Coordinates of all heavy atoms in Angstrom, one line a residue:
C675 N -56.7 -205.7 119.1 CA -56.7 -205.3 120.5 C -55.5 -206.0 121.2 O -55.2 -207.1 121.0 CB -58.0 -205.8 121.1 SG -58.2 -205.6 122.9
V676 N -54.9 -205.2 122.1 CA -53.8 -205.7 122.9 C -54.2 -205.6 124.3 O -54.8 -204.6 124.7 CB -52.5 -204.8 122.7 CG1 -51.4 -205.1 123.6 CG2 -52.1 -204.8 121.2
D677 N -53.9 -206.6 125.1 CA -54.3 -206.6 126.5 C -53.4 -205.7 127.4 O -53.9 -204.8 128.1 CB -54.3 -208.0 127.1 CG -55.4 -208.9 126.5 OD1 -56.5 -208.3 126.2 OD2 -55.2 -210.1 126.4
I678 N -52.1 -205.9 127.3 CA -51.1 -205.2 128.1 C -49.9 -204.8 127.3 O -49.4 -205.6 126.5 CB -50.6 -206.1 129.3 CG1 -51.8 -206.5 130.1 CG2 -49.6 -205.4 130.1 CD1 -51.5 -207.6 131.2
I679 N -49.5 -203.6 127.5 CA -48.2 -203.1 126.9 C -47.3 -202.7 128.0 O -47.7 -201.9 128.9 CB -48.5 -201.9 126.0 CG1 -49.4 -202.3 124.8 CG2 -47.1 -201.3 125.5 CD1 -49.8 -201.1 123.9
I680 N -46.1 -203.2 128.0 CA -45.1 -202.8 129.0 C -43.9 -202.4 128.3 O -43.3 -203.1 127.5 CB -44.7 -203.9 130.0 CG1 -46.0 -204.4 130.7 CG2 -43.7 -203.5 131.0 CD1 -45.7 -205.7 131.5
A681 N -43.4 -201.1 128.5 CA -42.3 -200.6 127.7 C -41.6 -199.5 128.6 O -42.2 -198.9 129.5 CB -42.8 -199.9 126.4
P682 N -40.3 -199.3 128.3 CA -39.5 -198.3 129.0 C -40.1 -196.9 128.7 O -40.6 -196.6 127.6 CB -38.1 -198.4 128.4 CG -38.1 -199.7 127.7 CD -39.4 -200.0 127.3
A683 N -40.1 -196.0 129.6 CA -40.6 -194.6 129.5 C -40.2 -193.9 128.2 O -41.0 -193.3 127.5 CB -40.4 -193.8 130.7
P684 N -38.9 -194.0 127.8 CA -38.4 -193.3 126.6 C -39.1 -193.8 125.4 O -39.5 -193.0 124.5 CB -36.9 -193.6 126.5 CG -36.5 -193.8 128.0 CD -37.7 -194.5 128.6
F685 N -39.4 -195.1 125.3 CA -40.1 -195.6 124.2 C -41.6 -195.1 124.2 O -42.1 -194.8 123.1 CB -40.1 -197.2 124.2 CG -41.0 -197.8 123.1 CD1 -40.5 -198.0 121.9 CD2 -42.3 -198.1 123.4 CE1 -41.3 -198.5 120.9 CE2 -43.1 -198.7 122.4 CZ -42.6 -198.9 121.1
V686 N -42.2 -195.1 125.3 CA -43.6 -194.6 125.4 C -43.7 -193.2 124.9 O -44.5 -192.8 124.1 CB -44.1 -194.7 126.9 CG1 -45.5 -194.1 127.0 CG2 -44.2 -196.2 127.3
H687 N -42.7 -192.3 125.4 CA -42.7 -190.9 124.9 C -42.5 -190.9 123.4 O -43.2 -190.1 122.7 CB -41.6 -190.2 125.6 CG -41.8 -189.7 127.0 ND1 -42.8 -188.8 127.3 CD2 -41.2 -190.1 128.2 CE1 -42.8 -188.6 128.6 NE2 -41.9 -189.4 129.1
A688 N -41.5 -191.6 122.9 CA -41.2 -191.5 121.5 C -42.4 -192.1 120.6 O -42.7 -191.5 119.6 CB -40.0 -192.3 121.2
R689 N -43.0 -193.1 121.0 CA -44.1 -193.7 120.2 C -45.4 -192.9 120.3 O -46.0 -192.8 119.3 CB -44.3 -195.2 120.7 CG -45.5 -195.9 120.0 CD -45.2 -196.1 118.6 NE -46.2 -196.8 117.9 CZ -47.3 -196.3 117.3 NH1 -47.5 -195.0 117.4 NH2 -48.2 -197.1 116.7
A690 N -45.6 -192.3 121.4 CA -46.9 -191.6 121.6 C -46.8 -190.1 121.2 O -47.8 -189.5 120.9 CB -47.4 -191.7 123.0
G691 N -45.6 -189.6 121.2 CA -45.4 -188.2 120.8 C -45.9 -187.2 121.7 O -46.4 -186.1 121.4
A692 N -46.0 -187.6 123.0 CA -46.5 -186.7 124.1 C -45.4 -186.4 125.1 O -44.7 -187.4 125.5 CB -47.7 -187.3 124.7
G693 N -45.3 -185.2 125.6 CA -44.3 -184.9 126.6 C -44.6 -185.4 127.9 O -43.7 -185.9 128.7
D694 N -45.8 -185.3 128.3 CA -46.3 -185.8 129.6 C -46.5 -187.3 129.6 O -47.2 -187.8 128.7 CB -47.6 -185.1 130.0 CG -48.2 -185.7 131.3 OD1 -47.6 -185.4 132.3 OD2 -49.3 -186.4 131.2
L695 N -45.9 -188.0 130.5 CA -45.9 -189.5 130.5 C -47.3 -190.0 130.6 O -47.7 -191.0 130.0 CB -45.0 -190.1 131.6 CG -44.8 -191.6 131.6 CD1 -44.3 -192.1 130.2 CD2 -43.8 -192.0 132.6
G696 N -48.1 -189.4 131.5 CA -49.5 -189.8 131.6 C -50.3 -189.7 130.3 O -51.1 -190.6 129.9
A697 N -50.1 -188.6 129.6 CA -50.8 -188.4 128.3 C -50.2 -189.4 127.3 O -51.0 -189.9 126.5 CB -50.6 -187.0 127.8
A698 N -48.9 -189.7 127.3 CA -48.4 -190.6 126.4 C -48.9 -192.0 126.6 O -49.2 -192.8 125.7 CB -46.8 -190.7 126.6
L699 N -49.1 -192.4 127.9 CA -49.7 -193.7 128.2 C -51.2 -193.8 127.6 O -51.6 -194.8 127.1 CB -49.7 -194.0 129.7 CG -48.4 -194.3 130.3 CD1 -48.5 -194.3 131.8 CD2 -47.8 -195.6 129.8
A700 N -51.9 -192.7 127.8 CA -53.3 -192.6 127.3 C -53.3 -192.8 125.8 O -54.2 -193.5 125.3 CB -54.0 -191.3 127.8
R701 N -52.4 -192.1 125.1 CA -52.4 -192.2 123.7 C -52.0 -193.6 123.2 O -52.6 -194.1 122.2 CB -51.3 -191.2 123.1 CG -51.8 -189.8 123.0 CD -50.8 -189.0 122.2 NE -51.1 -187.6 122.3 CZ -50.4 -186.6 121.8 NH1 -49.3 -186.9 121.1 NH2 -50.8 -185.4 121.9
L702 N -51.1 -194.2 123.8 CA -50.7 -195.6 123.5 C -51.8 -196.5 123.7 O -52.1 -197.4 122.9 CB -49.4 -195.9 124.3 CG -48.4 -196.9 123.7 CD1 -47.9 -196.4 122.3 CD2 -47.3 -197.2 124.6
A703 N -52.5 -196.4 124.8 CA -53.6 -197.2 125.1 C -54.7 -197.1 124.1 O -55.3 -198.1 123.6 CB -54.2 -196.9 126.5
G704 N -55.0 -195.9 123.6 CA -55.9 -195.6 122.6 C -55.5 -196.2 121.2 O -56.3 -196.7 120.5
A705 N -54.2 -196.0 120.9 CA -53.7 -196.4 119.6 C -53.8 -197.9 119.4 O -54.0 -198.4 118.3 CB -52.3 -196.0 119.4
F706 N -53.6 -198.7 120.5 CA -53.6 -200.1 120.4 C -54.8 -200.8 121.1 O -54.9 -202.0 121.2 CB -52.3 -200.7 121.0 CG -51.1 -200.3 120.2 CD1 -50.3 -199.2 120.5 CD2 -50.8 -201.1 119.1 CE1 -49.2 -198.9 119.7 CE2 -49.7 -200.8 118.3 CZ -48.9 -199.7 118.6
D707 N -55.8 -200.0 121.5 CA -56.9 -200.5 122.3 C -56.5 -201.4 123.4 O -57.0 -202.5 123.6 CB -57.9 -201.2 121.3 CG -59.3 -201.4 121.9 OD1 -59.6 -200.7 122.8 OD2 -59.9 -202.4 121.5
A708 N -55.5 -200.9 124.1 CA -54.9 -201.7 125.2 C -55.6 -201.5 126.5 O -56.0 -200.4 126.9 CB -53.4 -201.4 125.4
E709 N -55.9 -202.6 127.3 CA -56.5 -202.5 128.6 C -55.6 -201.9 129.6 O -56.0 -201.1 130.4 CB -56.9 -203.9 129.0 CG -57.9 -204.6 128.2 CD -59.3 -204.3 128.5 OE1 -59.5 -203.9 129.7 OE2 -60.1 -204.4 127.7
V710 N -54.3 -202.2 129.5 CA -53.3 -201.7 130.5 C -52.0 -201.3 129.7 O -51.6 -202.1 128.9 CB -52.9 -202.8 131.5 CG1 -51.9 -202.4 132.5 CG2 -54.2 -203.3 132.3
V711 N -51.5 -200.2 130.1 CA -50.2 -199.7 129.5 C -49.3 -199.3 130.7 O -49.7 -198.6 131.6 CB -50.4 -198.5 128.6 CG1 -49.1 -198.1 128.0 CG2 -51.4 -198.8 127.5
V712 N -48.1 -199.8 130.7 CA -47.1 -199.6 131.7 C -45.8 -199.0 131.2 O -45.3 -199.5 130.2 CB -46.8 -200.9 132.5 CG1 -45.8 -200.6 133.7 CG2 -48.1 -201.5 133.0
A713 N -45.4 -197.9 131.8 CA -44.1 -197.3 131.5 C -43.1 -197.7 132.6 O -43.4 -197.3 133.7 CB -44.2 -195.8 131.3
T714 N -42.1 -198.4 132.3 CA -41.1 -198.7 133.3 C -40.1 -197.5 133.5 O -39.8 -196.8 132.5 CB -40.3 -200.0 133.0 OG1 -39.6 -199.8 131.7 CG2 -41.2 -201.2 132.9
L715 N -39.8 -197.2 134.8 CA -39.0 -196.0 135.1 C -37.7 -196.4 135.8 O -37.1 -195.6 136.5 CB -39.8 -195.1 136.0 CG -41.2 -194.7 135.5 CD1 -42.0 -194.0 136.6 CD2 -41.0 -193.8 134.3
G716 N -37.2 -197.6 135.5 CA -35.9 -198.0 136.2 C -36.0 -198.0 137.7 O -37.0 -198.5 138.2
A717 N -35.1 -197.5 138.4 CA -35.0 -197.4 139.8 C -36.2 -196.7 140.4 O -36.5 -196.8 141.6 CB -33.7 -196.8 140.3
D718 N -36.9 -195.8 139.6 CA -38.0 -195.1 140.1 C -39.3 -195.8 140.0 O -40.4 -195.3 140.3 CB -38.1 -193.7 139.3 CG -37.0 -192.8 139.6 OD1 -36.5 -192.8 140.7 OD2 -36.6 -192.1 138.7
G719 N -39.3 -197.1 139.6 CA -40.5 -197.9 139.5 C -41.2 -197.9 138.2 O -40.6 -198.1 137.2
A720 N -42.5 -197.6 138.2 CA -43.3 -197.7 137.0 C -44.6 -196.8 137.1 O -45.0 -196.6 138.2 CB -43.7 -199.1 136.7
L721 N -45.1 -196.4 136.0 CA -46.3 -195.7 135.9 C -47.3 -196.5 135.0 O -46.9 -196.8 133.9 CB -46.2 -194.3 135.4 CG -47.4 -193.4 135.3 CD1 -48.0 -193.2 136.7 CD2 -47.2 -192.1 134.6
A722 N -48.4 -196.8 135.5 CA -49.4 -197.6 134.7 C -50.7 -196.9 134.5 O -51.1 -196.0 135.3 CB -49.7 -198.9 135.4
R723 N -51.3 -197.2 133.4 CA -52.7 -196.7 133.1 C -53.6 -197.8 132.8 O -53.3 -198.6 131.9 CB -52.6 -195.7 131.9 CG -54.0 -195.1 131.6 CD -53.9 -194.1 130.5 NE -55.2 -193.5 130.3 CZ -55.8 -192.5 130.9 NH1 -55.1 -192.0 131.9 NH2 -57.0 -192.1 130.6
A724 N -54.6 -198.0 133.6 CA -55.5 -199.1 133.5 C -56.9 -198.6 133.6 O -57.3 -198.0 134.7 CB -55.2 -200.2 134.5
H725 N -57.8 -198.9 132.6 CA -59.2 -198.5 132.7 C -59.4 -197.0 133.0 O -60.2 -196.7 133.8 CB -59.9 -199.4 133.7 CG -59.7 -200.8 133.5 ND1 -60.2 -201.5 132.4 CD2 -58.9 -201.7 134.1 CE1 -59.8 -202.8 132.4 NE2 -59.0 -202.9 133.5
G726 N -58.5 -196.2 132.4 CA -58.6 -194.7 132.6 C -58.0 -194.2 133.9 O -58.1 -193.0 134.2
M727 N -57.4 -195.0 134.7 CA -56.8 -194.6 136.0 C -55.3 -194.8 135.9 O -54.8 -195.7 135.3 CB -57.4 -195.4 137.1 CG -58.9 -195.2 137.3 SD -59.6 -196.2 138.6 CE -58.6 -195.9 140.0
E728 N -54.6 -193.9 136.6 CA -53.1 -194.0 136.7 C -52.7 -194.6 138.0 O -53.3 -194.3 139.0 CB -52.4 -192.7 136.5 CG -52.4 -192.2 135.1 CD -51.6 -191.0 134.9 OE1 -50.8 -190.5 135.8 OE2 -51.7 -190.4 133.8
L729 N -51.6 -195.4 138.0 CA -51.1 -196.0 139.2 C -49.6 -195.9 139.1 O -49.0 -196.4 138.2 CB -51.5 -197.4 139.3 CG -50.9 -198.2 140.5 CD1 -51.3 -197.7 141.8 CD2 -51.2 -199.7 140.3
R730 N -49.0 -195.3 140.1 CA -47.5 -195.2 140.2 C -47.0 -196.2 141.3 O -47.6 -196.2 142.4 CB -47.0 -193.8 140.6 CG -45.5 -193.7 140.6 CD -45.0 -192.3 140.7 NE -45.3 -191.5 139.6 CZ -44.4 -191.4 138.5 NH1 -43.3 -192.1 138.5 NH2 -44.7 -190.6 137.5
V731 N -46.1 -197.0 140.9 CA -45.5 -198.0 141.8 C -44.0 -197.7 142.0 O -43.3 -197.5 141.0 CB -45.6 -199.4 141.1 CG1 -45.0 -200.5 142.1 CG2 -47.1 -199.7 140.9
P732 N -43.6 -197.5 143.2 CA -42.1 -197.2 143.4 C -41.2 -198.4 143.1 O -41.6 -199.5 143.1 CB -42.1 -196.9 144.9 CG -43.2 -197.6 145.5 CD -44.3 -197.7 144.5
G733 N -40.0 -198.0 142.8 CA -39.0 -199.1 142.6 C -38.7 -199.8 143.9 O -38.9 -199.4 145.0
V734 N -38.1 -201.0 143.7 CA -37.7 -201.9 144.9 C -36.2 -202.1 144.8 O -35.7 -202.5 143.7 CB -38.5 -203.2 144.8 CG1 -38.1 -204.1 145.9 CG2 -40.0 -202.9 144.8
V735 N -35.6 -201.9 145.9 CA -34.1 -202.2 146.0 C -33.9 -203.7 146.2 O -34.6 -204.3 147.1 CB -33.5 -201.4 147.1 CG1 -32.0 -201.7 147.2 CG2 -33.6 -199.9 146.9
V736 N -33.1 -204.3 145.4 CA -32.8 -205.7 145.5 C -31.3 -206.0 145.5 O -30.6 -205.1 145.0 CB -33.5 -206.6 144.4 CG1 -35.0 -206.4 144.4 CG2 -33.0 -206.1 143.0
D737 N -30.9 -207.1 146.0 CA -29.5 -207.5 145.9 C -29.2 -208.1 144.6 O -30.0 -208.8 144.0 CB -29.1 -208.5 147.0 CG -29.2 -207.9 148.4 OD1 -28.9 -206.7 148.6 OD2 -29.6 -208.7 149.3
V738 N -28.1 -207.7 144.0 CA -27.7 -208.3 142.7 C -27.3 -209.7 142.8 O -26.6 -210.0 143.8 CB -26.5 -207.4 142.1 CG1 -26.1 -208.1 140.7 CG2 -27.0 -206.0 141.9
V739 N -27.8 -210.5 141.9 CA -27.5 -212.0 142.0 C -26.9 -212.4 140.6 O -27.2 -211.8 139.6 CB -28.8 -212.8 142.2 CG1 -28.5 -214.3 142.2 CG2 -29.5 -212.4 143.5
D740 N -26.0 -213.3 140.6 CA -25.4 -213.8 139.4 C -26.4 -214.4 138.5 O -27.0 -215.4 138.9 CB -24.3 -214.9 139.7 CG -23.6 -215.5 138.5 OD1 -23.9 -214.9 137.4 OD2 -22.9 -216.4 138.7
T741 N -26.7 -213.8 137.4 CA -27.8 -214.3 136.5 C -27.3 -215.3 135.5 O -28.1 -215.9 134.7 CB -28.4 -213.1 135.8 OG1 -27.4 -212.5 135.0 CG2 -29.1 -212.1 136.7
T742 N -26.0 -215.6 135.5 CA -25.5 -216.5 134.5 C -25.3 -217.9 135.1 O -24.9 -218.9 134.3 CB -24.1 -216.0 133.9 OG1 -23.2 -215.9 134.9 CG2 -24.3 -214.7 133.2
G743 N -25.4 -218.0 136.3 CA -25.1 -219.1 136.9 C -25.2 -220.3 137.5 O -25.0 -221.4 137.7

């Protein structure tokens, strides 16, 4: 059993073998008995499936900061 899976949308599509992202999340959740599965969508935010429900979260614009420093 896996509690949470977070992965980029292309990985979710490839791993689940479903064209529709919502269906792909459902398949991934079933395959790993995951409570929550999240597909990240870059600047478009994320799509999550938790307890049989879908939730879309929009992306957030942020200022770039020096991460090496």
Side-chain angles (χ1 to χ4, degrees):
C675 175
V676 175
D677 292 328
I678 301 171
I679 298 172
I680 301 173
F685 174 85
V686 173
H687 281 295
R689 177 63 176 88
D694 174 70
L695 187 54
L699 289 172
R701 281 191 189 175
L702 210 55
F706 292 96
D707 194 25
E709 297 276 333
V710 178
V711 182
V712 180
T714 59
L715 304 170
D718 292 327
L721 179 64
R723 181 174 181 85
H725 309 289
M727 298 173 53
E728 285 186 13
L729 172 67
R730 182 172 292 272
V731 179
V734 177
V735 177
V736 298
D737 293 328
V738 177
V739 178
D740 178 10
T741 59
T742 61

